[in-house]
mmCIF file of all heavy atoms in Angstrom:
data_model
loop_
_atom_site.group_PDB
_atom_site.id
_atom_site.type_symbol
_atom_site.label_atom_id
_atom_site.label_comp_id
_atom_site.label_asym_id
_atom_site.label_seq_id
_atom_site.Cartn_x
_atom_site.Cartn_y
_atom_site.Cartn_z
ATOM 1 N N GLN A 216 0.481 3.753 -24.159
ATOM 2 C CA GLN A 216 -0.653 4.564 -24.587
ATOM 3 C C GLN A 216 -1.928 3.740 -24.700
ATOM 4 O O GLN A 216 -3.025 4.285 -24.787
ATOM 5 C CB GLN A 216 -0.354 5.210 -25.949
ATOM 6 C CG GLN A 216 0.851 6.136 -25.936
ATOM 7 C CD GLN A 216 0.656 7.332 -25.034
ATOM 8 O OE1 GLN A 216 -0.332 8.062 -25.172
ATOM 9 N NE2 GLN A 216 1.580 7.553 -24.104
ATOM 10 N N ASP A 217 -1.771 2.408 -24.713
ATOM 11 C CA ASP A 217 -2.921 1.510 -24.783
ATOM 12 C C ASP A 217 -2.493 0.139 -24.265
ATOM 13 O O ASP A 217 -1.338 -0.068 -23.868
ATOM 14 C CB ASP A 217 -3.465 1.419 -26.217
ATOM 15 C CG ASP A 217 -2.409 1.008 -27.234
ATOM 16 O OD1 ASP A 217 -1.615 0.085 -26.941
ATOM 17 O OD2 ASP A 217 -2.358 1.622 -28.319
ATOM 18 N N ALA A 218 -3.415 -0.808 -24.298
ATOM 19 C CA ALA A 218 -3.159 -2.125 -23.720
ATOM 20 C C ALA A 218 -2.287 -3.007 -24.611
ATOM 21 O O ALA A 218 -1.952 -4.130 -24.210
ATOM 22 C CB ALA A 218 -4.487 -2.830 -23.444
ATOM 23 N N LEU A 252 -2.847 8.901 -18.767
ATOM 24 C CA LEU A 252 -3.060 9.600 -20.025
ATOM 25 C C LEU A 252 -3.961 10.816 -19.837
ATOM 26 O O LEU A 252 -3.837 11.813 -20.553
ATOM 27 C CB LEU A 252 -3.673 8.653 -21.056
ATOM 28 C CG LEU A 252 -2.858 7.380 -21.347
ATOM 29 C CD1 LEU A 252 -3.597 6.499 -22.341
ATOM 30 C CD2 LEU A 252 -1.477 7.721 -21.857
ATOM 31 N N HIS A 256 -8.228 8.373 -17.279
ATOM 32 C CA HIS A 256 -7.773 7.359 -18.231
ATOM 33 C C HIS A 256 -6.344 6.954 -17.884
ATOM 34 O O HIS A 256 -5.397 7.702 -18.115
ATOM 35 C CB HIS A 256 -7.842 7.895 -19.660
ATOM 36 C CG HIS A 256 -7.539 6.873 -20.705
ATOM 37 N ND1 HIS A 256 -7.373 7.181 -22.038
ATOM 38 C CD2 HIS A 256 -7.382 5.515 -20.629
ATOM 39 C CE1 HIS A 256 -7.122 6.091 -22.721
ATOM 40 N NE2 HIS A 256 -7.124 5.062 -21.888
ATOM 41 N N HIS A 257 -6.205 5.762 -17.280
ATOM 42 C CA HIS A 257 -4.901 5.267 -16.855
ATOM 43 C C HIS A 257 -4.619 3.913 -17.522
ATOM 44 O O HIS A 257 -5.540 3.118 -17.741
ATOM 45 C CB HIS A 257 -4.854 5.076 -15.344
ATOM 46 C CG HIS A 257 -5.028 6.337 -14.557
ATOM 47 N ND1 HIS A 257 -4.980 6.360 -13.182
ATOM 48 C CD2 HIS A 257 -5.230 7.627 -14.944
ATOM 49 C CE1 HIS A 257 -5.157 7.600 -12.753
ATOM 50 N NE2 HIS A 257 -5.320 8.381 -13.805
ATOM 51 N N ILE A 258 -3.339 3.661 -17.796
ATOM 52 C CA ILE A 258 -2.870 2.343 -18.228
ATOM 53 C C ILE A 258 -2.090 1.750 -17.067
ATOM 54 O O ILE A 258 -1.176 2.382 -16.530
ATOM 55 C CB ILE A 258 -1.960 2.432 -19.471
ATOM 56 C CG1 ILE A 258 -2.629 3.232 -20.589
ATOM 57 C CG2 ILE A 258 -1.593 1.029 -19.942
ATOM 58 C CD1 ILE A 258 -3.857 2.594 -21.167
ATOM 59 N N LEU A 259 -2.436 0.525 -16.680
ATOM 60 C CA LEU A 259 -1.877 -0.077 -15.470
ATOM 61 C C LEU A 259 -1.371 -1.486 -15.748
ATOM 62 O O LEU A 259 -2.045 -2.289 -16.400
ATOM 63 C CB LEU A 259 -2.957 -0.135 -14.386
ATOM 64 C CG LEU A 259 -2.572 -0.691 -13.013
ATOM 65 C CD1 LEU A 259 -1.623 0.264 -12.305
ATOM 66 C CD2 LEU A 259 -3.834 -0.904 -12.169
ATOM 67 N N ARG A 273 -0.923 -8.768 -17.999
ATOM 68 C CA ARG A 273 -1.662 -7.958 -18.962
ATOM 69 C C ARG A 273 -1.618 -6.482 -18.580
ATOM 70 O O ARG A 273 -1.247 -6.122 -17.460
ATOM 71 C CB ARG A 273 -3.113 -8.419 -19.045
ATOM 72 C CG ARG A 273 -3.877 -8.271 -17.737
ATOM 73 C CD ARG A 273 -5.357 -8.571 -17.883
ATOM 74 N NE ARG A 273 -6.066 -7.538 -18.599
ATOM 75 C CZ ARG A 273 -7.400 -7.504 -18.730
ATOM 76 N NH1 ARG A 273 -8.135 -8.478 -18.208
ATOM 77 N NH2 ARG A 273 -7.979 -6.533 -19.383
ATOM 78 N N LEU A 274 -2.017 -5.630 -19.495
ATOM 79 C CA LEU A 274 -2.198 -4.212 -19.225
ATOM 80 C C LEU A 274 -3.692 -3.924 -19.151
ATOM 81 O O LEU A 274 -4.466 -4.395 -19.993
ATOM 82 C CB LEU A 274 -1.564 -3.346 -20.310
ATOM 83 C CG LEU A 274 -0.041 -3.157 -20.263
ATOM 84 C CD1 LEU A 274 0.684 -4.393 -20.767
ATOM 85 C CD2 LEU A 274 0.371 -1.938 -21.091
ATOM 86 N N TYR A 275 -4.083 -3.157 -18.147
ATOM 87 C CA TYR A 275 -5.468 -2.704 -18.024
ATOM 88 C C TYR A 275 -5.558 -1.266 -18.528
ATOM 89 O O TYR A 275 -4.846 -0.381 -18.051
ATOM 90 C CB TYR A 275 -5.947 -2.764 -16.571
ATOM 91 C CG TYR A 275 -6.299 -4.156 -16.101
ATOM 92 C CD1 TYR A 275 -5.336 -4.981 -15.524
ATOM 93 C CD2 TYR A 275 -7.594 -4.646 -16.222
ATOM 94 C CE1 TYR A 275 -5.657 -6.257 -15.082
ATOM 95 C CE2 TYR A 275 -7.928 -5.915 -15.784
ATOM 96 C CZ TYR A 275 -6.955 -6.719 -15.210
ATOM 97 O OH TYR A 275 -7.274 -7.986 -14.783
ATOM 98 N N ASP A 276 -6.431 -1.058 -19.500
ATOM 99 C CA ASP A 276 -6.727 0.281 -20.015
ATOM 100 C C ASP A 276 -7.995 0.735 -19.289
ATOM 101 O O ASP A 276 -9.101 0.324 -19.636
ATOM 102 C CB ASP A 276 -6.941 0.204 -21.530
ATOM 103 C CG ASP A 276 -7.023 1.576 -22.181
ATOM 104 O OD1 ASP A 276 -7.448 2.530 -21.499
ATOM 105 O OD2 ASP A 276 -6.670 1.697 -23.368
ATOM 106 N N ILE A 277 -7.817 1.565 -18.254
ATOM 107 C CA ILE A 277 -8.912 1.887 -17.339
ATOM 108 C C ILE A 277 -9.486 3.251 -17.679
ATOM 109 O O ILE A 277 -8.808 4.276 -17.555
ATOM 110 C CB ILE A 277 -8.427 1.867 -15.878
ATOM 111 C CG1 ILE A 277 -7.735 0.533 -15.572
ATOM 112 C CG2 ILE A 277 -9.590 2.092 -14.923
ATOM 113 C CD1 ILE A 277 -7.000 0.517 -14.253
ATOM 114 N N GLN A 278 -10.736 3.237 -18.104
ATOM 115 C CA GLN A 278 -11.428 4.485 -18.435
ATOM 116 C C GLN A 278 -12.932 4.262 -18.320
ATOM 117 O O GLN A 278 -13.472 3.402 -19.021
ATOM 118 C CB GLN A 278 -11.064 4.940 -19.855
ATOM 119 C CG GLN A 278 -11.615 6.302 -20.225
ATOM 120 C CD GLN A 278 -11.154 6.734 -21.624
ATOM 121 O OE1 GLN A 278 -10.657 5.927 -22.402
ATOM 122 N NE2 GLN A 278 -11.317 7.999 -21.936
#
Side-chain angles (χ1 to χ4, degrees):
Q216 299 296 306
D217 55 43
L252 303 178
H256 186 189
H257 297 182
I258 308 294
L259 182 69
R273 62 173 288 187
L274 282 76
Y275 283 89
D276 190 332
I277 307 169
Q278 186 177 14

